[in-house]
Amino acid sequence: MSTPSLSSAELPTYTRWPVTIVRGEGSTVWDDSGRSYLDLYGGHAVAATGHCHPEVVRAIREQAGDLLFYSNVVALPVRARAAEAIAAQAPAPLSKVFFVNSGTEANENAMRLARRATGRTDILSFDGGFHGRTADAISAAGLAKYREMGKPNVPGHRFVPFNDLAAAEAALDENVAAVLIEPIQSMAGVITAPASYIQGLRTLCDERGAKLIYDEVQTGFGRTGTFFYAGRHGVVPDLVALAKGIGSGFPMGAVLVSEEIAATVKPEDYGTTFGGGPLACAAAEATTRVILEEGLLGNVRAGSLRLKQGLAGLPGVREVRGEGFLLGVALDKPARPARAALLSRGFLVGGSDLPDVLRLLPPLVLTAEEIDRFLEAARGIL
Ligand SMILES: Cc1ncc(COP(=O)(O)O)c(C=O)c1O
């Protein structure tokens, strides 16, 4: 295994895994000694179409040769194409896209859009939730340690337990602009909102005049086997925050909104210099096309079943939960040594806020053969 390179010029913001990655292709990455690893962490849930998908790389290269950057003060054909490609995958009435640069920025803008549309101030979110690290998003963190890091917090954030409709009903008064939810709480250990709960939240929002925001930074762009989680169980939110897989690794975020929310926006209300830049849009357009043309949604559904069935039969596995390629594997022992052992055998997997839960967030292109290879290694280790 290679030694991790931490330059003395880098702030030590993350606990680094003991590996230095220099190259990627599909679901495989290579370290600086030439050793390969099967990436079941997907570069942090980002490499949607796999590492360096040739179509995505080609689109970025071609766009780089034409125009590296111009901001939102001009129209860009590639921005228009990317917005149309993404909106075409969204259930009605979600139909308009605002491009930003990251997941946290998508959530910040989603909350601001909801506040301005309703004239209300407060945001209701959930214990266990995670929405990013800028001021408003970190103030909506239901994992208290993040909220603490973001102090002083933005006022007007309220929290209720996940999957407790009565608590949401009690908290959702006339000051609440929006309910902000990860339909599958990822960092919290992969906890899925039941259909009846999410339907109940939609009804509550409609009755009380609040907007429903899905944080689909992880669930979006095919990760759960449908293009968006929005639309599942007959529930369509008013706003969706996107990032991670949207550009297959090119930094980007977006807010997808309903016609009704879009009608409240006028020029100069919202902005970002880099959001919607040509390279990011080329990457997003290519990512969307590849997901559809290569049938990756079906691959995720089939692969997920294979992973779930294989993992459920392994010793030491208590539960496998989540959907598609957003899976939590609850062990009967701490996850950290298992992750380290898998890494030493050439498999990258994630942890979560729960010490006994492994997280799998592989590229959507992960094959059956790769899954079987991982299951065999996991059997040996667990
Ligand atoms: C559900 C969710 N929302 C928001 C974010 C923040 O995204 P970013 O790191 O791009 O700001 C993350 C990042 O892990 C996330 O998992």
Side-chain angles (χ1 to χ4, degrees), residues 162 182-194 218-219 222-226 229 232-233 300-301 303-309 311 319-330 357-362:
F162 197 66
E182 283 173 89
I184 302 179
Q185 288 191 328
S186 181
M187 186 98 91
V190 190
I191 319 285
T192 305
Q218 293 215 12
T219 57
R223 178 151 300 283
T224 70
T226 50
Y229 209 86
R232 287 267 192 99
H233 312 311
V300 169
R301 289 195 290 265
S304 181
L305 200 62
R306 197 177 188 93
L307 270 168
K308 280 183 172 173
Q309 285 172 347
L311 285 164
E319 189 190 359
V320 188
R321 51 186 188 237
E323 292 186 37
F325 282 171
L326 171 41
L327 296 179
V329 187
V357 174
L358 295 174
R359 252 186 323 164
L360 305 182
L361 307 155

mmCIF file of all heavy atoms in Angstrom, residues 162 182-194 218-219 222-226 229 232-233 300-301 303-309 311 319-330 357-362:
data_model
loop_
_atom_site.group_PDB
_atom_site.id
_atom_site.type_symbol
_atom_site.label_atom_id
_atom_site.label_comp_id
_atom_site.label_asym_id
_atom_site.label_seq_id
_atom_site.Cartn_x
_atom_site.Cartn_y
_atom_site.Cartn_z
ATOM 1 N N PHE A 162 -36.435 11.711 13.108
ATOM 2 C CA PHE A 162 -36.736 11.150 11.789
ATOM 3 C C PHE A 162 -37.789 10.066 11.951
ATOM 4 O O PHE A 162 -37.736 9.276 12.894
ATOM 5 C CB PHE A 162 -35.434 10.553 11.230
ATOM 6 C CG PHE A 162 -35.420 10.283 9.746
ATOM 7 C CD1 PHE A 162 -35.487 11.320 8.830
ATOM 8 C CD2 PHE A 162 -35.305 8.991 9.256
ATOM 9 C CE1 PHE A 162 -35.433 11.074 7.451
ATOM 10 C CE2 PHE A 162 -35.248 8.736 7.886
ATOM 11 C CZ PHE A 162 -35.317 9.797 6.985
ATOM 12 N N GLU A 182 -33.317 14.524 3.862
ATOM 13 C CA GLU A 182 -32.657 13.524 3.020
ATOM 14 C C GLU A 182 -33.612 12.328 3.003
ATOM 15 O O GLU A 182 -33.814 11.699 4.049
ATOM 16 C CB GLU A 182 -31.373 13.013 3.691
ATOM 17 C CG GLU A 182 -30.154 13.875 3.660
ATOM 18 C CD GLU A 182 -29.076 13.219 4.528
ATOM 19 O OE1 GLU A 182 -28.290 12.407 4.016
ATOM 20 O OE2 GLU A 182 -29.029 13.497 5.741
ATOM 21 N N PRO A 183 -34.166 11.962 1.851
ATOM 22 C CA PRO A 183 -35.109 10.836 1.867
ATOM 23 C C PRO A 183 -34.462 9.540 2.351
ATOM 24 O O PRO A 183 -35.136 8.673 2.910
ATOM 25 C CB PRO A 183 -35.584 10.720 0.428
ATOM 26 C CG PRO A 183 -34.851 11.724 -0.370
ATOM 27 C CD PRO A 183 -34.026 12.580 0.525
ATOM 28 N N ILE A 184 -33.142 9.418 2.119
ATOM 29 C CA ILE A 184 -32.381 8.361 2.798
ATOM 30 C C ILE A 184 -31.252 9.070 3.530
ATOM 31 O O ILE A 184 -30.381 9.668 2.890
ATOM 32 C CB ILE A 184 -31.791 7.335 1.810
ATOM 33 C CG1 ILE A 184 -32.905 6.683 0.978
ATOM 34 C CG2 ILE A 184 -30.989 6.264 2.545
ATOM 35 C CD1 ILE A 184 -32.410 5.656 -0.047
ATOM 36 N N GLN A 185 -31.294 9.034 4.842
ATOM 37 C CA GLN A 185 -30.225 9.698 5.611
ATOM 38 C C GLN A 185 -28.957 8.872 5.473
ATOM 39 O O GLN A 185 -28.884 7.748 5.976
ATOM 40 C CB GLN A 185 -30.614 9.808 7.082
ATOM 41 C CG GLN A 185 -31.698 10.833 7.341
ATOM 42 C CD GLN A 185 -31.863 11.113 8.826
ATOM 43 O OE1 GLN A 185 -31.661 10.226 9.671
ATOM 44 N NE2 GLN A 185 -32.235 12.330 9.159
ATOM 45 N N SER A 186 -27.956 9.434 4.830
ATOM 46 C CA SER A 186 -26.767 8.648 4.512
ATOM 47 C C SER A 186 -25.762 8.620 5.647
ATOM 48 O O SER A 186 -25.445 7.566 6.205
ATOM 49 C CB SER A 186 -26.134 9.204 3.239
ATOM 50 O OG SER A 186 -25.000 8.453 2.884
ATOM 51 N N MET A 187 -25.271 9.809 6.014
ATOM 52 C CA MET A 187 -24.238 9.891 7.055
ATOM 53 C C MET A 187 -24.725 9.262 8.372
ATOM 54 O O MET A 187 -23.950 8.685 9.125
ATOM 55 C CB MET A 187 -23.886 11.367 7.295
ATOM 56 C CG MET A 187 -22.763 11.570 8.228
ATOM 57 S SD MET A 187 -21.251 11.829 7.343
ATOM 58 C CE MET A 187 -21.259 13.615 7.200
ATOM 59 N N ALA A 188 -26.034 9.359 8.632
ATOM 60 C CA ALA A 188 -26.596 8.837 9.890
ATOM 61 C C ALA A 188 -26.537 7.314 9.949
ATOM 62 O O ALA A 188 -26.915 6.717 10.954
ATOM 63 C CB ALA A 188 -28.028 9.309 10.040
ATOM 64 N N GLY A 189 -26.116 6.667 8.852
ATOM 65 C CA GLY A 189 -26.013 5.212 8.866
ATOM 66 C C GLY A 189 -26.957 4.546 7.875
ATOM 67 O O GLY A 189 -27.255 3.361 8.007
ATOM 68 N N VAL A 190 -27.428 5.320 6.891
ATOM 69 C CA VAL A 190 -28.312 4.836 5.822
ATOM 70 C C VAL A 190 -29.675 4.417 6.400
ATOM 71 O O VAL A 190 -29.973 3.241 6.609
ATOM 72 C CB VAL A 190 -27.681 3.694 4.987
ATOM 73 C CG1 VAL A 190 -28.540 3.399 3.741
ATOM 74 C CG2 VAL A 190 -26.265 4.062 4.543
ATOM 75 N N ILE A 191 -30.488 5.423 6.674
ATOM 76 C CA ILE A 191 -31.826 5.217 7.234
ATOM 77 C C ILE A 191 -32.831 5.756 6.209
ATOM 78 O O ILE A 191 -32.800 6.940 5.866
ATOM 79 C CB ILE A 191 -32.023 5.989 8.563
ATOM 80 C CG1 ILE A 191 -30.781 5.907 9.466
ATOM 81 C CG2 ILE A 191 -33.300 5.539 9.264
ATOM 82 C CD1 ILE A 191 -30.558 4.613 10.158
ATOM 83 N N THR A 192 -33.710 4.883 5.735
ATOM 84 C CA THR A 192 -34.667 5.259 4.688
ATOM 85 C C THR A 192 -35.980 5.726 5.305
ATOM 86 O O THR A 192 -36.512 5.083 6.213
ATOM 87 C CB THR A 192 -34.939 4.046 3.762
ATOM 88 O OG1 THR A 192 -33.684 3.592 3.259
ATOM 89 C CG2 THR A 192 -35.837 4.416 2.598
ATOM 90 N N ALA A 193 -36.505 6.849 4.766
ATOM 91 C CA ALA A 193 -37.822 7.318 5.215
ATOM 92 C C ALA A 193 -38.886 6.394 4.626
ATOM 93 O O ALA A 193 -38.930 6.223 3.410
ATOM 94 C CB ALA A 193 -38.044 8.745 4.731
ATOM 95 N N PRO A 194 -39.758 5.800 5.463
ATOM 96 C CA PRO A 194 -40.820 4.944 4.909
ATOM 97 C C PRO A 194 -41.762 5.764 4.015
ATOM 98 O O PRO A 194 -41.907 6.968 4.206
ATOM 99 C CB PRO A 194 -41.560 4.442 6.149
ATOM 100 C CG PRO A 194 -40.652 4.697 7.299
ATOM 101 C CD PRO A 194 -39.782 5.853 6.924
ATOM 102 N N GLN A 218 -27.003 12.995 -2.376
ATOM 103 C CA GLN A 218 -26.550 11.606 -2.527
ATOM 104 C C GLN A 218 -27.524 10.760 -3.332
ATOM 105 O O GLN A 218 -27.117 9.960 -4.164
ATOM 106 C CB GLN A 218 -26.317 10.959 -1.147
ATOM 107 C CG GLN A 218 -25.167 11.593 -0.411
ATOM 108 C CD GLN A 218 -24.366 10.621 0.438
ATOM 109 O OE1 GLN A 218 -24.505 9.412 0.354
ATOM 110 N NE2 GLN A 218 -23.499 11.167 1.269
ATOM 111 N N THR A 219 -28.840 10.928 -3.086
ATOM 112 C CA THR A 219 -29.801 10.021 -3.735
ATOM 113 C C THR A 219 -30.032 10.363 -5.198
ATOM 114 O O THR A 219 -30.535 9.533 -5.958
ATOM 115 C CB THR A 219 -31.156 10.034 -3.001
ATOM 116 O OG1 THR A 219 -31.646 11.387 -2.975
ATOM 117 C CG2 THR A 219 -31.043 9.502 -1.590
ATOM 118 N N GLY A 222 -29.385 8.895 -10.057
ATOM 119 C CA GLY A 222 -29.424 7.465 -10.281
ATOM 120 C C GLY A 222 -28.980 6.576 -9.145
ATOM 121 O O GLY A 222 -29.111 5.355 -9.233
ATOM 122 N N ARG A 223 -28.481 7.155 -8.074
ATOM 123 C CA ARG A 223 -27.864 6.315 -7.042
ATOM 124 C C ARG A 223 -28.821 5.300 -6.431
ATOM 125 O O ARG A 223 -28.414 4.230 -5.983
ATOM 126 C CB ARG A 223 -27.218 7.206 -5.945
ATOM 127 C CG ARG A 223 -26.588 6.409 -4.807
ATOM 128 C CD ARG A 223 -25.426 7.099 -4.158
ATOM 129 N NE ARG A 223 -24.340 7.380 -5.076
ATOM 130 C CZ ARG A 223 -23.460 6.481 -5.515
ATOM 131 N NH1 ARG A 223 -23.505 5.238 -5.090
ATOM 132 N NH2 ARG A 223 -22.523 6.832 -6.372
ATOM 133 N N THR A 224 -30.114 5.646 -6.369
ATOM 134 C CA THR A 224 -31.027 4.671 -5.736
ATOM 135 C C THR A 224 -31.799 3.845 -6.763
ATOM 136 O O THR A 224 -32.760 3.165 -6.414
ATOM 137 C CB THR A 224 -32.014 5.354 -4.766
ATOM 138 O OG1 THR A 224 -32.941 6.117 -5.536
ATOM 139 C CG2 THR A 224 -31.291 6.251 -3.777
ATOM 140 N N GLY A 225 -31.394 3.951 -8.046
ATOM 141 C CA GLY A 225 -32.031 3.112 -9.065
ATOM 142 C C GLY A 225 -33.125 3.810 -9.850
ATOM 143 O O GLY A 225 -33.651 3.238 -10.804
ATOM 144 N N THR A 226 -33.501 5.024 -9.432
ATOM 145 C CA THR A 226 -34.331 5.897 -10.272
ATOM 146 C C THR A 226 -33.537 7.183 -10.427
ATOM 147 O O THR A 226 -32.661 7.471 -9.595
ATOM 148 C CB THR A 226 -35.699 6.218 -9.629
ATOM 149 O OG1 THR A 226 -35.487 6.669 -8.286
ATOM 150 C CG2 THR A 226 -36.591 4.993 -9.615
ATOM 151 N N TYR A 229 -34.937 10.628 -6.450
ATOM 152 C CA TYR A 229 -35.844 10.037 -5.457
ATOM 153 C C TYR A 229 -37.196 10.746 -5.542
ATOM 154 O O TYR A 229 -38.235 10.161 -5.267
ATOM 155 C CB TYR A 229 -35.249 10.164 -4.046
ATOM 156 C CG TYR A 229 -35.709 9.059 -3.141
ATOM 157 C CD1 TYR A 229 -35.043 7.842 -3.114
ATOM 158 C CD2 TYR A 229 -36.838 9.211 -2.344
ATOM 159 C CE1 TYR A 229 -35.477 6.804 -2.311
ATOM 160 C CE2 TYR A 229 -37.280 8.181 -1.533
ATOM 161 C CZ TYR A 229 -36.589 6.981 -1.516
ATOM 162 O OH TYR A 229 -37.028 5.957 -0.728
ATOM 163 N N ARG A 232 -40.814 9.190 -6.131
ATOM 164 C CA ARG A 232 -41.051 7.875 -5.500
ATOM 165 C C ARG A 232 -42.215 7.989 -4.518
ATOM 166 O O ARG A 232 -42.380 9.023 -3.876
ATOM 167 C CB ARG A 232 -39.823 7.459 -4.681
ATOM 168 C CG ARG A 232 -38.671 7.038 -5.488
ATOM 169 C CD ARG A 232 -38.669 5.510 -5.699
ATOM 170 N NE ARG A 232 -37.380 5.166 -6.238
ATOM 171 C CZ ARG A 232 -36.393 4.690 -5.492
ATOM 172 N NH1 ARG A 232 -36.571 4.424 -4.229
ATOM 173 N NH2 ARG A 232 -35.236 4.435 -6.031
ATOM 174 N N HIS A 233 -42.924 6.945 -4.379
ATOM 175 C CA HIS A 233 -44.070 6.868 -3.448
ATOM 176 C C HIS A 233 -45.119 7.941 -3.764
ATOM 177 O O HIS A 233 -45.852 8.383 -2.876
ATOM 178 C CB HIS A 233 -43.615 7.025 -1.988
ATOM 179 C CG HIS A 233 -42.450 6.166 -1.619
ATOM 180 N ND1 HIS A 233 -42.394 4.826 -1.909
ATOM 181 C CD2 HIS A 233 -41.276 6.472 -0.998
ATOM 182 C CE1 HIS A 233 -41.234 4.328 -1.481
ATOM 183 N NE2 HIS A 233 -40.539 5.306 -0.937
ATOM 184 N N VAL A 300 -27.965 -0.403 -11.504
ATOM 185 C CA VAL A 300 -27.980 -0.133 -10.061
ATOM 186 C C VAL A 300 -28.989 -1.046 -9.364
ATOM 187 O O VAL A 300 -28.696 -1.641 -8.322
ATOM 188 C CB VAL A 300 -28.320 1.359 -9.785
ATOM 189 C CG1 VAL A 300 -28.603 1.593 -8.311
ATOM 190 C CG2 VAL A 300 -27.183 2.255 -10.263
ATOM 191 N N ARG A 301 -30.162 -1.180 -9.966
ATOM 192 C CA ARG A 301 -31.198 -2.006 -9.310
ATOM 193 C C ARG A 301 -30.756 -3.474 -9.229
ATOM 194 O O ARG A 301 -30.868 -4.105 -8.176
ATOM 195 C CB ARG A 301 -32.525 -1.875 -10.064
ATOM 196 C CG ARG A 301 -33.156 -0.498 -9.875
ATOM 197 C CD ARG A 301 -34.613 -0.499 -10.304
ATOM 198 N NE ARG A 301 -34.756 -0.629 -11.744
ATOM 199 C CZ ARG A 301 -34.896 0.396 -12.598
ATOM 200 N NH1 ARG A 301 -34.889 1.631 -12.126
ATOM 201 N NH2 ARG A 301 -35.045 0.189 -13.884
ATOM 202 N N GLY A 303 -27.628 -4.649 -9.468
ATOM 203 C CA GLY A 303 -26.430 -4.748 -8.634
ATOM 204 C C GLY A 303 -26.763 -4.648 -7.154
ATOM 205 O O GLY A 303 -26.164 -5.332 -6.313
ATOM 206 N N SER A 304 -27.733 -3.807 -6.851
ATOM 207 C CA SER A 304 -28.134 -3.615 -5.464
ATOM 208 C C SER A 304 -28.693 -4.910 -4.881
ATOM 209 O O SER A 304 -28.355 -5.320 -3.764
ATOM 210 C CB SER A 304 -29.176 -2.497 -5.395
ATOM 211 O OG SER A 304 -29.564 -2.271 -4.084
ATOM 212 N N LEU A 305 -29.512 -5.570 -5.676
ATOM 213 C CA LEU A 305 -30.109 -6.832 -5.238
ATOM 214 C C LEU A 305 -29.009 -7.868 -4.977
ATOM 215 O O LEU A 305 -29.008 -8.576 -3.965
ATOM 216 C CB LEU A 305 -31.053 -7.328 -6.347
ATOM 217 C CG LEU A 305 -32.113 -8.319 -5.954
ATOM 218 C CD1 LEU A 305 -33.053 -7.702 -4.928
ATOM 219 C CD2 LEU A 305 -32.911 -8.746 -7.200
ATOM 220 N N ARG A 306 -28.063 -7.924 -5.902
ATOM 221 C CA ARG A 306 -26.953 -8.893 -5.791
ATOM 222 C C ARG A 306 -26.131 -8.609 -4.525
ATOM 223 O O ARG A 306 -25.772 -9.513 -3.777
ATOM 224 C CB ARG A 306 -26.083 -8.759 -7.035
ATOM 225 C CG ARG A 306 -25.149 -9.916 -7.281
ATOM 226 C CD ARG A 306 -24.398 -9.699 -8.588
ATOM 227 N NE ARG A 306 -23.639 -10.877 -8.960
ATOM 228 C CZ ARG A 306 -24.098 -11.829 -9.767
ATOM 229 N NH1 ARG A 306 -25.291 -11.740 -10.298
ATOM 230 N NH2 ARG A 306 -23.338 -12.885 -10.050
ATOM 231 N N LEU A 307 -25.854 -7.319 -4.314
ATOM 232 C CA LEU A 307 -25.083 -6.932 -3.121
ATOM 233 C C LEU A 307 -25.855 -7.273 -1.853
ATOM 234 O O LEU A 307 -25.304 -7.835 -0.899
ATOM 235 C CB LEU A 307 -24.813 -5.426 -3.147
ATOM 236 C CG LEU A 307 -23.532 -4.957 -3.825
ATOM 237 C CD1 LEU A 307 -23.554 -3.442 -4.015
ATOM 238 C CD2 LEU A 307 -22.303 -5.358 -3.005
ATOM 239 N N LYS A 308 -27.143 -6.918 -1.853
ATOM 240 C CA LYS A 308 -27.947 -7.140 -0.643
ATOM 241 C C LYS A 308 -28.031 -8.631 -0.316
ATOM 242 O O LYS A 308 -27.845 -9.035 0.836
ATOM 243 C CB LYS A 308 -29.363 -6.587 -0.837
ATOM 244 C CG LYS A 308 -29.457 -5.081 -0.638
ATOM 245 C CD LYS A 308 -30.904 -4.640 -0.771
ATOM 246 C CE LYS A 308 -31.059 -3.192 -0.394
ATOM 247 N NZ LYS A 308 -32.392 -2.671 -0.663
ATOM 248 N N GLN A 309 -28.308 -9.432 -1.351
ATOM 249 C CA GLN A 309 -28.437 -10.874 -1.106
ATOM 250 C C GLN A 309 -27.109 -11.465 -0.667
ATOM 251 O O GLN A 309 -27.045 -12.255 0.275
ATOM 252 C CB GLN A 309 -28.945 -11.572 -2.367
ATOM 253 C CG GLN A 309 -30.434 -11.321 -2.587
ATOM 254 C CD GLN A 309 -30.929 -11.826 -3.930
ATOM 255 O OE1 GLN A 309 -30.142 -12.149 -4.816
ATOM 256 N NE2 GLN A 309 -32.247 -11.878 -4.103
ATOM 257 N N LEU A 311 -24.492 -9.920 0.734
ATOM 258 C CA LEU A 311 -24.047 -9.430 2.046
ATOM 259 C C LEU A 311 -24.875 -10.028 3.174
ATOM 260 O O LEU A 311 -24.349 -10.347 4.249
ATOM 261 C CB LEU A 311 -24.150 -7.890 2.090
ATOM 262 C CG LEU A 311 -23.068 -7.147 1.312
ATOM 263 C CD1 LEU A 311 -23.470 -5.694 1.085
ATOM 264 C CD2 LEU A 311 -21.733 -7.211 2.055
ATOM 265 N N GLU A 319 -27.506 -6.466 9.310
ATOM 266 C CA GLU A 319 -28.568 -5.899 8.477
ATOM 267 C C GLU A 319 -27.943 -5.204 7.271
ATOM 268 O O GLU A 319 -26.856 -4.623 7.399
ATOM 269 C CB GLU A 319 -29.348 -4.860 9.313
ATOM 270 C CG GLU A 319 -30.590 -4.355 8.645
ATOM 271 C CD GLU A 319 -31.232 -3.161 9.372
ATOM 272 O OE1 GLU A 319 -30.700 -2.731 10.431
ATOM 273 O OE2 GLU A 319 -32.233 -2.650 8.867
ATOM 274 N N VAL A 320 -28.602 -5.277 6.136
ATOM 275 C CA VAL A 320 -28.181 -4.488 4.971
ATOM 276 C C VAL A 320 -29.354 -3.585 4.637
ATOM 277 O O VAL A 320 -30.469 -4.060 4.431
ATOM 278 C CB VAL A 320 -27.863 -5.383 3.758
ATOM 279 C CG1 VAL A 320 -27.255 -4.535 2.640
ATOM 280 C CG2 VAL A 320 -26.904 -6.494 4.143
ATOM 281 N N ARG A 321 -29.120 -2.270 4.648
ATOM 282 C CA ARG A 321 -30.260 -1.369 4.407
ATOM 283 C C ARG A 321 -29.909 -0.296 3.388
ATOM 284 O O ARG A 321 -28.752 -0.103 3.034
ATOM 285 C CB ARG A 321 -30.729 -0.761 5.727
ATOM 286 C CG ARG A 321 -29.639 -0.129 6.535
ATOM 287 C CD ARG A 321 -30.184 0.305 7.889
ATOM 288 N NE ARG A 321 -29.201 1.071 8.598
ATOM 289 C CZ ARG A 321 -28.742 0.775 9.799
ATOM 290 N NH1 ARG A 321 -29.181 -0.287 10.450
ATOM 291 N NH2 ARG A 321 -27.845 1.538 10.367
ATOM 292 N N GLY A 322 -30.948 0.413 2.941
ATOM 293 C CA GLY A 322 -30.760 1.430 1.920
ATOM 294 C C GLY A 322 -31.315 0.952 0.599
ATOM 295 O O GLY A 322 -31.941 -0.111 0.517
ATOM 296 N N GLU A 323 -31.096 1.739 -0.434
ATOM 297 C CA GLU A 323 -31.622 1.409 -1.755
ATOM 298 C C GLU A 323 -30.551 1.622 -2.802
ATOM 299 O O GLU A 323 -29.703 2.500 -2.653
ATOM 300 C CB GLU A 323 -32.829 2.283 -2.079
ATOM 301 C CG GLU A 323 -34.021 1.958 -1.206
ATOM 302 C CD GLU A 323 -35.264 2.706 -1.617
ATOM 303 O OE1 GLU A 323 -35.480 2.895 -2.829
ATOM 304 O OE2 GLU A 323 -36.011 3.098 -0.717
ATOM 305 N N GLY A 324 -30.647 0.847 -3.885
ATOM 306 C CA GLY A 324 -29.715 1.016 -4.998
ATOM 307 C C GLY A 324 -28.282 0.892 -4.524
ATOM 308 O O GLY A 324 -27.919 -0.045 -3.796
ATOM 309 N N PHE A 325 -27.457 1.845 -4.945
ATOM 310 C CA PHE A 325 -26.050 1.849 -4.536
ATOM 311 C C PHE A 325 -25.809 2.868 -3.413
ATOM 312 O O PHE A 325 -24.794 3.563 -3.377
ATOM 313 C CB PHE A 325 -25.150 2.121 -5.746
ATOM 314 C CG PHE A 325 -24.946 0.923 -6.639
ATOM 315 C CD1 PHE A 325 -24.320 1.062 -7.871
ATOM 316 C CD2 PHE A 325 -25.349 -0.350 -6.256
ATOM 317 C CE1 PHE A 325 -24.108 -0.041 -8.708
ATOM 318 C CE2 PHE A 325 -25.152 -1.463 -7.081
ATOM 319 C CZ PHE A 325 -24.533 -1.309 -8.307
ATOM 320 N N LEU A 326 -26.761 2.960 -2.518
ATOM 321 C CA LEU A 326 -26.595 3.723 -1.271
ATOM 322 C C LEU A 326 -26.967 2.741 -0.167
ATOM 323 O O LEU A 326 -28.114 2.658 0.264
ATOM 324 C CB LEU A 326 -27.495 4.964 -1.275
ATOM 325 C CG LEU A 326 -27.664 5.827 -0.020
ATOM 326 C CD1 LEU A 326 -26.354 6.025 0.722
ATOM 327 C CD2 LEU A 326 -28.242 7.167 -0.373
ATOM 328 N N LEU A 327 -25.971 1.947 0.232
ATOM 329 C CA LEU A 327 -26.243 0.838 1.148
ATOM 330 C C LEU A 327 -25.468 0.977 2.452
ATOM 331 O O LEU A 327 -24.295 1.386 2.450
ATOM 332 C CB LEU A 327 -25.879 -0.500 0.484
ATOM 333 C CG LEU A 327 -26.693 -0.892 -0.752
ATOM 334 C CD1 LEU A 327 -26.193 -2.224 -1.320
ATOM 335 C CD2 LEU A 327 -28.180 -0.990 -0.436
ATOM 336 N N GLY A 328 -26.126 0.630 3.549
ATOM 337 C CA GLY A 328 -25.481 0.569 4.851
ATOM 338 C C GLY A 328 -25.425 -0.884 5.287
ATOM 339 O O GLY A 328 -26.429 -1.603 5.206
ATOM 340 N N VAL A 329 -24.246 -1.314 5.716
ATOM 341 C CA VAL A 329 -24.077 -2.701 6.146
ATOM 342 C C VAL A 329 -23.792 -2.677 7.647
ATOM 343 O O VAL A 329 -22.702 -2.289 8.073
ATOM 344 C CB VAL A 329 -22.906 -3.376 5.395
ATOM 345 C CG1 VAL A 329 -22.838 -4.861 5.723
ATOM 346 C CG2 VAL A 329 -23.016 -3.157 3.890
ATOM 347 N N ALA A 330 -24.793 -3.060 8.442
ATOM 348 C CA ALA A 330 -24.631 -3.048 9.901
ATOM 349 C C ALA A 330 -23.960 -4.348 10.329
ATOM 350 O O ALA A 330 -24.449 -5.442 10.017
ATOM 351 C CB ALA A 330 -25.994 -2.893 10.565
ATOM 352 N N VAL A 357 -21.450 0.565 11.185
ATOM 353 C CA VAL A 357 -22.072 0.539 9.856
ATOM 354 C C VAL A 357 -21.071 0.941 8.761
ATOM 355 O O VAL A 357 -20.480 2.013 8.799
ATOM 356 C CB VAL A 357 -23.314 1.468 9.799
ATOM 357 C CG1 VAL A 357 -23.862 1.555 8.371
ATOM 358 C CG2 VAL A 357 -24.394 0.958 10.741
ATOM 359 N N LEU A 358 -20.900 0.028 7.803
ATOM 360 C CA LEU A 358 -20.115 0.321 6.592
ATOM 361 C C LEU A 358 -21.050 0.945 5.570
ATOM 362 O O LEU A 358 -22.210 0.552 5.480
ATOM 363 C CB LEU A 358 -19.593 -0.978 5.967
ATOM 364 C CG LEU A 358 -18.589 -1.834 6.708
ATOM 365 C CD1 LEU A 358 -18.362 -3.126 5.924
ATOM 366 C CD2 LEU A 358 -17.279 -1.077 6.828
ATOM 367 N N ARG A 359 -20.533 1.892 4.798
ATOM 368 C CA ARG A 359 -21.365 2.465 3.728
ATOM 369 C C ARG A 359 -20.781 2.134 2.364
ATOM 370 O O ARG A 359 -19.591 2.313 2.124
ATOM 371 C CB ARG A 359 -21.444 3.982 3.874
ATOM 372 C CG ARG A 359 -22.807 4.442 4.350
ATOM 373 C CD ARG A 359 -22.956 5.918 4.364
ATOM 374 N NE ARG A 359 -21.794 6.676 4.745
ATOM 375 C CZ ARG A 359 -21.652 7.966 4.518
ATOM 376 N NH1 ARG A 359 -22.605 8.631 3.903
ATOM 377 N NH2 ARG A 359 -20.577 8.603 4.905
ATOM 378 N N LEU A 360 -21.646 1.674 1.470
ATOM 379 C CA LEU A 360 -21.251 1.396 0.093
ATOM 380 C C LEU A 360 -21.933 2.411 -0.822
ATOM 381 O O LEU A 360 -23.165 2.526 -0.824
ATOM 382 C CB LEU A 360 -21.678 -0.021 -0.307
ATOM 383 C CG LEU A 360 -21.194 -1.153 0.607
ATOM 384 C CD1 LEU A 360 -21.660 -2.501 0.064
ATOM 385 C CD2 LEU A 360 -19.679 -1.135 0.755
ATOM 386 N N LEU A 361 -21.129 3.157 -1.572
ATOM 387 C CA LEU A 361 -21.625 4.198 -2.479
ATOM 388 C C LEU A 361 -20.896 4.079 -3.816
ATOM 389 O O LEU A 361 -20.280 5.039 -4.285
ATOM 390 C CB LEU A 361 -21.348 5.588 -1.864
ATOM 391 C CG LEU A 361 -21.840 5.820 -0.438
ATOM 392 C CD1 LEU A 361 -21.034 6.892 0.275
ATOM 393 C CD2 LEU A 361 -23.296 6.220 -0.463
ATOM 394 N N PRO A 362 -20.928 2.894 -4.424
ATOM 395 C CA PRO A 362 -20.068 2.659 -5.602
ATOM 396 C C PRO A 362 -20.553 3.409 -6.831
ATOM 397 O O PRO A 362 -21.692 3.871 -6.879
ATOM 398 C CB PRO A 362 -20.195 1.144 -5.824
ATOM 399 C CG PRO A 362 -21.527 0.793 -5.276
ATOM 400 C CD PRO A 362 -21.768 1.717 -4.104
#
